Amino acid sequence: AEQARRQIEEQRALIAATREERNAALARIASERTLTERQERELLQRRAAVASLIGRLAEESVRRPIVSARPRGRLGRGLPWPTEGLLIRKFGIVVEQDSKAEIVSNGIEIRADDGAPVQAVADGRVAFVGWLRGFGRLVIVDHGSGTHSLSGHLAKVAVAQGDEVRRGQTIAFVGDTESTNGPKLYFELRENGRPRDPTPLLRAAP
């Protein structure tokens, strides 16, 4: 009888432990789902903010076109990489490492040393210098004909709004502003307000 009682108690303890593990797993799944949903909302908000900003800058560009002896507009192949480092996020559909959720990336991310120089990929005019939620310190260069490049998570900026810049000129320095995983550069290329994969236009791997 004593042995039977111990076996029953062990079975009850095992059932209780299994129930606790199941409840913990369900709670973890719910927490991950909540985190993923929050990340997706924040991502949509950041996209909307960038789209709104680019739209406003495009309107200003039409009213005040860039005047230069060198032609600008649609960017061709052979552009320099905006900074030296390791490409850690590609353009397009990517899978988040933590949540495993699929998201659409409108730009690329390059892991680089804190303070590494960021250069303009083509001639243009600095259309925006400031802070944008999700991107930190941000510089946007208007290359003419509706083409813009964006550089985010910057530590410092080396240009001011309205400055004319040349291809290869240092415009900022890599930082970790609004970054969740250390120093890196977020780089985005837009044509007529639409994001475009910049990697086919860049010379080679950074």
Side-chain angles (χ1 to χ4, degrees), residues 55-148:
R56 178 170 58 81
L57 295 177
E59 292 177 358
E60 293 177 359
S61 179
V62 170
R63 292 196 300 269
R64 189 184 61 175
I66 297 176
V67 178
S68 174
R70 301 183 66 180
R72 298 176 185 161
R74 298 185 66 85
L75 304 183
R77 295 179 182 272
L79 301 178
W81 279 78
T83 193
E84 293 185 2
L86 176 66
L87 182 64
I88 58 174
R89 172 173 286 183
K90 297 181 179 180
F91 178 90
I93 298 177
V94 296
V95 178
E96 286 287 315
Q97 291 184 352
D98 296 332
S99 64
K100 305 303 180 184
E102 289 188 351
I103 64 171
V104 177
S105 176
N106 286 337
I108 61 174
E109 291 182 357
I110 302 172
R111 173 73 66 214
D113 294 334
D114 192 14
V118 177
Q119 62 179 331
V121 297
D123 295 351
R125 175 192 292 142
V126 179
F128 177 85
V129 174
W131 194 282
L132 192 63
R133 183 175 179 182
F135 299 93
R137 191 168 285 111
L138 181 72
V139 170
I140 299 177
V141 177
D142 181 356
H143 301 288
S145 300
T147 303
H148 296 80

XYZ file of all heavy atoms in Angstrom, residues 55-148:
715
model
N 8.297 61.913 -49.203
C 7.302 62.599 -50.020
C 7.428 64.107 -49.913
O 7.367 64.821 -50.923
N 7.626 64.589 -48.688
C 7.779 66.034 -48.484
C 9.056 66.542 -49.135
O 9.066 67.604 -49.777
C 7.788 66.338 -46.987
C 7.981 67.814 -46.654
C 7.730 68.081 -45.185
N 8.607 67.300 -44.328
C 9.870 67.643 -44.058
N 10.403 68.725 -44.595
N 10.599 66.906 -43.241
N 10.141 65.790 -49.002
C 11.405 66.207 -49.600
C 11.329 66.202 -51.119
O 11.934 67.046 -51.789
C 12.529 65.283 -49.122
C 12.853 65.334 -47.625
C 13.931 64.314 -47.282
C 13.270 66.728 -47.196
N 10.596 65.225 -51.668
C 10.441 65.168 -53.127
C 9.695 66.393 -53.639
O 10.044 66.956 -54.686
C 9.712 63.887 -53.522
N 8.668 66.811 -52.912
C 7.931 68.012 -53.302
C 8.831 69.243 -53.260
O 8.790 70.095 -54.155
C 6.728 68.197 -52.376
C 5.653 67.134 -52.544
C 4.518 67.312 -51.559
O 4.600 68.246 -50.726
O 3.549 66.539 -51.613
N 9.655 69.336 -52.215
C 10.578 70.461 -52.119
C 11.602 70.427 -53.245
O 12.007 71.465 -53.772
C 11.290 70.434 -50.758
C 10.366 70.691 -49.577
C 11.086 70.581 -48.243
O 12.301 70.277 -48.261
O 10.458 70.800 -47.207
N 12.028 69.217 -53.626
C 13.013 69.075 -54.696
C 12.449 69.561 -56.020
O 13.165 70.159 -56.836
C 13.455 67.608 -54.819
O 14.384 67.449 -55.865
N 11.160 69.316 -56.251
C 10.519 69.786 -57.481
C 10.471 71.310 -57.501
O 10.715 71.948 -58.534
C 9.102 69.199 -57.603
C 8.343 69.859 -58.748
C 9.165 67.692 -57.817
N 10.184 71.899 -56.336
C 10.109 73.363 -56.263
C 11.493 74.001 -56.363
O 11.634 75.120 -56.853
C 9.438 73.786 -54.951
C 7.960 73.426 -54.867
C 7.295 74.211 -53.751
N 7.911 73.925 -52.464
C 7.495 72.961 -51.636
N 6.477 72.191 -51.979
N 8.094 72.765 -50.475
N 12.524 73.254 -55.863
C 13.879 73.807 -55.872
C 14.829 72.768 -56.457
O 15.554 72.083 -55.737
C 14.306 74.175 -54.448
C 15.608 74.945 -54.390
C 16.023 75.199 -52.958
N 16.231 73.949 -52.224
C 16.685 73.892 -50.967
N 16.934 75.008 -50.313
N 16.844 72.722 -50.363
N 14.843 72.614 -57.771
C 15.667 71.574 -58.397
C 17.157 71.823 -58.175
O 17.604 72.952 -58.011
C 15.300 71.685 -59.885
C 14.813 73.085 -60.053
C 14.127 73.439 -58.767
N 17.914 70.739 -58.168
C 19.357 70.830 -58.017
C 19.969 71.334 -59.316
O 19.692 70.821 -60.389
C 19.955 69.455 -57.659
C 19.405 68.999 -56.299
C 21.464 69.486 -57.649
C 19.852 67.610 -55.908
N 20.781 72.361 -59.198
C 21.450 72.928 -60.365
C 22.917 72.539 -60.290
O 23.618 72.871 -59.346
C 21.310 74.458 -60.406
C 22.050 75.031 -61.612
C 19.839 74.844 -60.446
N 23.395 71.792 -61.269
C 24.783 71.342 -61.272
C 25.217 71.056 -62.692
O 24.413 70.700 -63.550
C 24.933 70.072 -60.408
O 26.236 69.549 -60.526
N 26.527 71.203 -62.918
C 27.054 70.897 -64.244
C 27.112 69.397 -64.483
O 27.163 68.942 -65.617
C 28.459 71.494 -64.388
N 27.112 68.615 -63.397
C 27.179 67.168 -63.534
C 25.773 66.593 -63.511
O 24.959 66.942 -62.656
C 28.018 66.568 -62.400
C 29.439 67.117 -62.363
C 30.247 66.442 -61.289
N 30.441 65.024 -61.583
C 31.119 64.201 -60.791
N 31.639 64.650 -59.667
N 31.262 62.923 -61.121
N 25.435 65.732 -64.449
C 24.078 65.177 -64.485
C 23.792 64.304 -63.275
O 24.665 63.581 -62.798
C 24.083 64.339 -65.775
C 25.514 63.989 -65.986
C 26.284 65.171 -65.496
N 22.561 64.368 -62.795
C 22.136 63.554 -61.671
C 20.804 62.928 -61.990
O 20.149 63.267 -62.957
C 22.041 64.396 -60.401
C 23.369 64.993 -59.968
C 23.189 65.879 -58.770
N 24.455 66.535 -58.438
C 24.552 67.609 -57.703
N 23.472 68.161 -57.219
N 25.719 68.129 -57.426
N 20.375 62.043 -61.133
C 19.081 61.415 -61.337
C 19.173 59.936 -61.037
O 19.667 59.548 -59.992
N 18.724 59.108 -61.967
C 18.753 57.670 -61.751
C 20.204 57.209 -61.581
O 21.062 57.519 -62.400
C 18.084 56.928 -62.904
C 16.617 57.275 -63.061
C 15.982 56.422 -64.138
N 15.955 55.007 -63.756
C 14.996 54.462 -63.018
N 14.010 55.214 -62.562
N 15.017 53.170 -62.745
N 20.443 56.472 -60.518
C 21.803 56.068 -60.194
C 22.155 54.772 -60.922
O 21.388 53.815 -60.912
C 21.949 55.882 -58.685
C 21.573 57.100 -57.832
C 21.821 56.809 -56.367
C 22.354 58.330 -58.268
N 23.326 54.743 -61.538
C 23.766 53.560 -62.258
C 24.604 52.647 -61.389
O 24.783 52.872 -60.187
N 25.138 51.600 -61.988
C 25.959 50.641 -61.257
C 27.343 51.229 -60.968
O 27.741 52.231 -61.531
C 26.088 49.348 -62.054
C 24.751 48.620 -62.233
C 24.922 47.356 -63.051
N 23.638 46.688 -63.253
C 23.122 45.799 -62.417
N 23.797 45.458 -61.322
N 21.950 45.234 -62.650
N 28.057 50.550 -60.065
C 29.408 50.970 -59.741
C 29.487 52.022 -58.664
O 30.511 52.699 -58.521
N 28.427 52.167 -57.865
C 28.448 53.139 -56.776
C 29.341 52.628 -55.644
O 29.436 51.421 -55.414
C 27.044 53.369 -56.234
C 25.982 53.887 -57.210
C 24.639 54.003 -56.500
C 26.402 55.224 -57.796
N 29.986 53.524 -54.910
C 30.769 53.088 -53.754
C 29.839 52.689 -52.600
O 28.734 53.216 -52.482
C 31.578 54.337 -53.386
C 30.715 55.479 -53.846
C 30.034 54.992 -55.100
N 30.281 51.739 -51.782
C 29.505 51.387 -50.599
C 29.529 52.569 -49.634
O 30.540 53.273 -49.532
C 30.078 50.138 -49.933
C 29.618 48.889 -50.615
C 30.097 48.380 -51.778
C 28.548 48.028 -50.200
N 29.408 47.240 -52.123
C 28.458 46.996 -51.177
C 27.688 48.010 -49.116
C 27.522 45.969 -51.086
C 26.759 46.978 -49.013
C 26.676 45.981 -49.986
N 28.432 52.808 -48.923
C 28.379 53.975 -48.040
C 29.357 53.889 -46.867
O 29.752 54.919 -46.334
C 26.929 53.985 -47.553
C 26.440 52.584 -47.752
C 27.160 52.071 -48.955
N 29.739 52.666 -46.462
C 30.754 52.500 -45.416
C 31.347 51.108 -45.544
O 30.791 50.231 -46.219
C 30.141 52.699 -44.010
O 31.200 52.824 -43.053
C 29.256 51.523 -43.619
N 32.485 50.906 -44.900
C 33.124 49.597 -44.900
C 32.621 48.784 -43.712
O 32.532 49.299 -42.598
C 34.644 49.742 -44.828
C 35.256 50.374 -46.068
C 36.770 50.392 -46.000
O 37.323 49.876 -45.003
O 37.394 50.914 -46.925
N 32.306 47.513 -43.938
C 31.814 46.671 -42.861
C 31.223 45.391 -43.395
O 31.485 44.987 -44.535
N 30.411 44.751 -42.570
C 29.805 43.471 -42.909
C 28.311 43.652 -43.140
O 27.610 44.221 -42.287
C 30.037 42.463 -41.769
C 29.374 41.085 -41.922
C 29.996 40.330 -43.092
C 29.512 40.286 -40.631
N 27.826 43.176 -44.273
C 26.400 43.258 -44.579
C 25.649 42.270 -43.682
O 25.841 41.060 -43.781
C 26.169 42.916 -46.044
C 24.713 43.013 -46.548
C 24.208 44.446 -46.470
C 24.613 42.482 -47.972
N 24.811 42.791 -42.777
C 24.115 41.924 -41.825
C 22.613 41.837 -42.105
O 21.934 40.995 -41.522
C 24.341 42.390 -40.369
C 23.867 43.835 -40.167
C 25.803 42.243 -39.986
C 23.919 44.306 -38.721
N 22.097 42.687 -42.949
C 20.689 42.584 -43.353
C 20.560 43.012 -44.801
O 21.024 44.077 -45.186
C 19.770 43.434 -42.473
C 18.345 43.483 -43.007
C 17.380 44.184 -42.076
N 17.065 43.340 -40.937
C 16.200 43.670 -39.971
N 15.599 44.837 -40.018
N 15.962 42.853 -38.979
N 19.913 42.151 -45.584
C 19.720 42.435 -46.988
C 18.387 43.136 -47.227
O 17.540 43.209 -46.347
C 19.779 41.134 -47.790
C 21.112 40.419 -47.717
C 21.106 39.148 -48.550
C 22.446 38.436 -48.496
N 22.452 37.196 -49.302
N 18.227 43.616 -48.424
C 16.979 44.241 -48.860
C 15.940 43.151 -49.149
O 16.273 42.064 -49.618
C 17.247 45.064 -50.120
C 16.034 45.719 -50.710
C 15.654 46.987 -50.324
C 15.278 45.064 -51.670
C 14.539 47.605 -50.873
C 14.164 45.663 -52.237
C 13.795 46.938 -51.828
N 14.674 43.453 -48.864
C 13.598 42.517 -49.188
C 13.101 41.758 -47.973
O 13.170 42.254 -46.849
N 12.593 40.559 -48.186
C 12.035 39.756 -47.100
C 13.172 39.104 -46.323
O 14.005 38.400 -46.881
C 11.087 38.670 -47.645
C 9.902 39.326 -48.381
C 10.575 37.784 -46.516
C 8.954 38.334 -49.021
N 13.205 39.369 -45.016
C 14.228 38.786 -44.144
C 13.529 38.165 -42.935
O 12.392 38.501 -42.609
C 15.248 39.843 -43.682
C 16.018 40.403 -44.861
C 14.558 40.981 -42.931
N 14.241 37.247 -42.250
C 13.706 36.579 -41.067
C 14.424 37.120 -39.836
O 15.655 37.083 -39.759
C 13.896 35.050 -41.156
C 13.366 34.381 -39.889
C 13.193 34.501 -42.387
N 13.647 37.645 -38.876
C 14.217 38.141 -37.637
C 14.831 36.989 -36.849
O 14.215 35.928 -36.696
C 13.131 38.827 -36.795
C 12.717 40.189 -37.319
C 13.792 41.233 -37.061
O 14.328 41.283 -35.946
O 14.105 41.986 -37.999
N 16.053 37.179 -36.331
C 16.726 36.114 -35.602
C 16.008 35.767 -34.301
O 15.900 34.595 -33.933
C 18.166 36.521 -35.293
C 19.052 36.604 -36.532
C 20.489 36.913 -36.190
O 20.814 37.208 -35.052
N 21.359 36.848 -37.195
N 15.522 36.782 -33.592
C 14.901 36.536 -32.286
C 13.500 35.959 -32.416
O 13.189 34.914 -31.855
C 14.864 37.837 -31.468
C 16.260 38.345 -31.155
O 17.179 37.500 -31.073
O 16.436 39.557 -31.001
N 12.647 36.629 -33.157
C 11.245 36.226 -33.256
C 10.972 35.239 -34.381
O 9.904 34.625 -34.423
C 10.365 37.470 -33.453
O 10.673 38.100 -34.693
N 11.931 35.093 -35.316
C 11.765 34.237 -36.491
C 10.645 34.718 -37.417
O 10.204 33.989 -38.296
C 11.488 32.779 -36.077
C 12.535 32.189 -35.158
C 13.922 32.239 -35.774
C 14.967 31.641 -34.836
N 16.353 31.770 -35.378
N 10.207 35.948 -37.210
C 9.139 36.503 -38.045
C 9.723 37.035 -39.347
O 10.851 37.534 -39.388
C 8.420 37.621 -37.302
N 8.952 36.913 -40.425
C 9.356 37.450 -41.717
C 8.939 38.913 -41.818
O 7.790 39.254 -41.555
C 8.728 36.658 -42.858
C 9.298 35.273 -43.050
C 8.781 34.607 -44.318
O 7.853 35.167 -44.935
O 9.297 33.544 -44.683
N 9.880 39.777 -42.160
C 9.583 41.187 -42.331
C 10.151 41.649 -43.666
O 10.989 40.970 -44.268
C 10.172 42.049 -41.193
C 11.709 41.972 -41.220
C 9.634 41.623 -39.848
C 12.361 42.959 -40.290
N 9.683 42.792 -44.113
C 10.185 43.375 -45.359
C 11.132 44.507 -45.002
O 10.752 45.459 -44.313
C 9.027 43.895 -46.229
C 9.588 44.568 -47.482
C 8.091 42.758 -46.607
N 12.355 44.395 -45.454
C 13.367 45.417 -45.200
C 13.480 46.324 -46.422
O 13.771 45.852 -47.526
C 14.715 44.767 -44.892
O 15.722 45.753 -44.744
N 13.267 47.614 -46.217
C 13.347 48.577 -47.318
C 14.768 49.043 -47.598
O 14.993 49.814 -48.536
C 12.468 49.789 -47.015
C 10.992 49.478 -47.170
O 10.621 48.538 -47.876
N 10.149 50.243 -46.510
N 15.718 48.587 -46.763
C 17.102 48.984 -46.959
C 18.031 47.869 -46.541
O 17.621 46.721 -46.395
N 19.297 48.204 -46.373
C 20.288 47.236 -45.922
C 20.932 47.744 -44.643
O 20.878 48.942 -44.336
C 21.370 46.988 -46.997
C 22.129 48.288 -47.308
C 20.752 46.411 -48.256
C 23.306 48.103 -48.254
N 21.530 46.824 -43.887
C 22.258 47.193 -42.682
C 23.685 46.673 -42.796
O 23.912 45.534 -43.205
C 21.583 46.622 -41.430
C 20.253 47.282 -41.121
C 19.617 46.751 -39.852
O 20.203 45.821 -39.237
O 18.560 47.258 -39.458
N 24.632 47.525 -42.426
C 26.048 47.177 -42.497
C 26.643 47.312 -41.103
O 26.599 48.401 -40.506
C 26.791 48.103 -43.482
C 26.162 48.018 -44.877
C 28.272 47.744 -43.540
C 26.719 49.044 -45.856
N 27.174 46.204 -40.571
C 27.888 46.257 -39.301
C 29.230 46.924 -39.526
O 30.009 46.511 -40.391
C 28.094 44.842 -38.755
C 28.986 44.769 -37.520
C 28.300 45.296 -36.283
N 27.174 44.440 -35.933
C 26.047 44.882 -35.393
N 25.892 46.178 -35.158
N 25.068 44.059 -35.088
N 29.509 47.987 -38.771
C 30.744 48.743 -38.946
C 31.223 49.246 -37.595
O 30.476 49.260 -36.606
C 30.518 49.910 -39.908
N 32.476 49.659 -37.548
C 33.047 50.185 -36.310
C 32.369 51.499 -35.940
O 32.009 52.305 -36.813
C 34.548 50.416 -36.470
C 35.319 49.122 -36.656
O 34.820 48.076 -36.190
O 36.402 49.158 -37.261
N 32.210 51.700 -34.641
C 31.657 52.961 -34.155
C 32.574 54.106 -34.596
O 33.787 54.078 -34.353
C 31.557 52.907 -32.626
C 30.729 54.051 -32.072
O 30.019 54.718 -32.858
O 30.786 54.299 -30.855
N 32.019 55.089 -35.269
C 32.803 56.220 -35.747
C 33.368 56.063 -37.136
O 34.054 56.968 -37.633
N 33.101 54.922 -37.789
C 33.576 54.729 -39.161
C 32.913 55.753 -40.085
O 31.731 56.078 -39.920
C 33.268 53.316 -39.646
N 33.636 56.282 -41.070
C 33.050 57.304 -41.949
C 31.966 56.733 -42.857
O 32.053 55.591 -43.315
C 34.249 57.800 -42.765
C 35.238 56.676 -42.718
C 35.054 56.018 -41.389
N 30.968 57.553 -43.108
C 29.887 57.234 -44.038
C 29.996 58.215 -45.202
O 30.051 59.430 -44.983
C 28.505 57.362 -43.363
C 27.392 57.089 -44.369
C 28.405 56.410 -42.180
N 30.015 57.705 -46.424
C 30.205 58.579 -47.566
C 28.971 58.645 -48.457
O 28.147 57.731 -48.473
C 31.398 58.110 -48.401
C 31.244 56.723 -48.995
C 32.434 56.317 -49.836
O 33.122 57.156 -50.430
N 32.708 55.022 -49.917
N 28.858 59.732 -49.177
C 27.791 59.866 -50.163
C 28.078 58.926 -51.326
O 29.212 58.847 -51.797
C 27.708 61.306 -50.659
N 27.052 58.208 -51.779
C 27.263 57.260 -52.881
C 27.216 57.951 -54.237
O 27.610 57.362 -55.246
C 26.220 56.123 -52.828
C 26.376 55.313 -51.557
C 24.797 56.658 -52.954
N 26.730 59.186 -54.263
C 26.664 59.948 -55.514
C 26.540 61.425 -55.169
O 26.275 61.792 -54.023
C 25.480 59.493 -56.368
N 26.739 62.280 -56.174
C 26.578 63.718 -55.977
C 25.143 64.026 -55.559
O 24.207 63.307 -55.932
C 26.893 64.473 -57.266
C 28.349 64.327 -57.683
O 29.140 63.782 -56.896
O 28.671 64.752 -58.810
N 24.976 65.107 -54.840
C 23.628 65.508 -54.469
C 23.614 66.663 -53.493
O 24.643 67.309 -53.252
N 22.450 66.911 -52.950
C 22.264 67.964 -51.954
C 21.680 67.329 -50.694
O 20.773 66.486 -50.771
C 21.323 69.051 -52.468
C 20.998 70.110 -51.400
C 19.849 70.998 -51.824
N 20.211 71.850 -52.935
C 19.402 72.161 -53.932
N 18.190 71.647 -53.984
N 19.796 72.963 -54.899
N 22.169 67.726 -49.540
C 21.650 67.212 -48.273
C 20.246 67.779 -48.074
O 20.067 68.992 -47.933
C 22.564 67.594 -47.095
C 21.980 67.074 -45.785
C 23.963 67.026 -47.304
N 19.273 66.885 -48.067
C 17.878 67.325 -47.961
C 17.362 67.281 -46.539
O 16.399 67.970 -46.203
C 16.993 66.438 -48.846
N 17.985 66.453 -45.688
C 17.497 66.316 -44.313
C 18.635 65.877 -43.406
O 19.404 64.986 -43.741
C 16.358 65.293 -44.249
C 15.845 65.022 -42.855
C 14.882 65.845 -42.286
C 16.331 63.955 -42.110
C 14.414 65.600 -41.002
C 15.866 63.693 -40.827
C 14.899 64.524 -40.277
N 18.710 66.532 -42.259
C 19.598 66.114 -41.171
C 18.789 66.215 -39.890
O 18.274 67.285 -39.551
C 20.852 67.015 -41.065
C 21.666 66.644 -39.829
C 21.712 66.897 -42.307
N 18.646 65.093 -39.190
C 17.850 65.139 -37.971
C 17.660 63.765 -37.375
O 18.349 62.806 -37.730
N 16.716 63.695 -36.464
C 16.429 62.465 -35.733
C 15.076 61.918 -36.175
O 14.103 62.662 -36.258
C 16.408 62.749 -34.243
C 16.462 61.521 -33.378
C 15.438 60.671 -33.085
C 17.609 61.001 -32.687
N 15.860 59.662 -32.258
C 17.199 59.835 -31.997
C 18.932 61.402 -32.590
C 18.058 59.082 -31.210
C 19.796 60.655 -31.808
C 19.354 59.514 -31.135
N 15.040 60.632 -36.470
C 13.786 59.991 -36.843
C 13.667 58.697 -36.050
O 14.592 57.878 -36.042
C 13.754 59.682 -38.346
C 12.387 59.274 -38.919
C 11.382 60.417 -38.778
C 12.517 58.873 -40.387
N 12.529 58.541 -35.380
C 12.342 57.387 -34.517
C 12.540 56.079 -35.294
O 12.000 55.898 -36.375
C 10.948 57.412 -33.901
C 10.701 56.273 -32.919
C 9.361 56.398 -32.254
N 9.146 55.293 -31.335
C 8.029 55.115 -30.624
N 7.032 55.976 -30.750
N 7.925 54.101 -29.802
N 13.312 55.191 -34.710
C 13.604 53.917 -35.341
C 14.871 53.942 -36.172
O 15.468 52.901 -36.438
N 15.298 55.152 -36.593
C 16.496 55.289 -37.423
C 17.575 56.110 -36.733
O 18.689 56.199 -37.215
C 16.146 55.953 -38.756
C 15.155 55.169 -39.565
C 13.794 55.427 -39.473
C 15.569 54.157 -40.410
C 12.873 54.706 -40.209
C 14.654 53.426 -41.160
C 13.297 53.697 -41.050
N 17.229 56.730 -35.606
C 18.200 57.559 -34.906
C 18.567 58.791 -35.700
O 17.745 59.373 -36.403
N 19.838 59.155 -35.595
C 20.321 60.317 -36.352
C 20.391 59.926 -37.826
O 21.011 58.926 -38.181
C 21.684 60.753 -35.807
C 22.156 62.093 -36.335
C 23.357 62.602 -35.554
N 22.943 63.103 -34.235
C 23.240 62.505 -33.085
N 23.939 61.380 -33.077
N 22.851 63.018 -31.940
N 19.788 60.762 -38.671
C 19.560 60.389 -40.072
C 20.002 61.506 -41.002
O 19.811 62.688 -40.707
C 18.071 60.102 -40.282
C 17.590 59.660 -41.656
C 18.038 58.239 -41.946
C 16.055 59.740 -41.722
N 20.605 61.109 -42.131
C 20.941 62.047 -43.200
C 20.314 61.544 -44.490
O 20.437 60.356 -44.827
C 22.472 62.174 -43.392
C 22.778 62.968 -44.670
C 23.104 62.865 -42.203
N 19.627 62.423 -45.195
C 19.041 62.087 -46.485
C 19.651 63.000 -47.541
O 19.685 64.223 -47.376
C 17.506 62.250 -46.480
C 16.867 61.323 -45.438
C 16.926 61.969 -47.864
C 15.365 61.470 -45.328
N 20.143 62.380 -48.618
C 20.736 63.141 -49.719
C 19.821 63.032 -50.932
O 19.409 61.936 -51.320
C 22.141 62.610 -50.070
C 22.710 63.378 -51.261
C 23.079 62.740 -48.874
N 19.510 64.185 -51.502
C 18.709 64.259 -52.727
C 19.659 64.243 -53.916
O 20.480 65.144 -54.079
C 17.882 65.554 -52.694
C 17.000 65.722 -53.924
O 17.081 64.879 -54.843
O 16.223 66.694 -53.958
N 19.567 63.202 -54.736
C 20.453 63.073 -55.893
C 19.819 63.575 -57.184
O 20.381 63.403 -58.271
C 20.864 61.605 -56.064
C 21.560 61.045 -54.869
N 22.844 61.392 -54.513
C 21.125 60.173 -53.915
C 23.189 60.741 -53.416
N 22.167 60.006 -53.021
N 18.637 64.156 -57.076
C 17.966 64.703 -58.240
C 17.039 63.709 -58.907
O 17.179 62.488 -58.742
N 16.052 64.214 -59.625
C 15.088 63.395 -60.377
C 14.374 62.386 -59.495
O 14.103 61.252 -59.910
C 15.781 62.677 -61.545
O 16.349 63.612 -62.420
N 14.087 62.765 -58.264
C 13.315 61.904 -57.373
C 14.105 60.797 -56.698
O 13.508 59.895 -56.103
N 15.438 60.844 -56.771
C 16.270 59.812 -56.160
C 16.878 60.320 -54.859
O 17.471 61.391 -54.820
C 17.403 59.380 -57.110
O 16.831 58.938 -58.342
C 18.211 58.262 -56.503
N 16.708 59.530 -53.785
C 17.233 59.890 -52.468
C 17.958 58.704 -51.853
O 17.575 57.553 -52.069
C 16.109 60.313 -51.513
C 15.374 61.542 -51.926
N 14.371 61.533 -52.889
C 15.485 62.836 -51.514
C 13.900 62.766 -53.040
N 14.560 63.567 -52.216
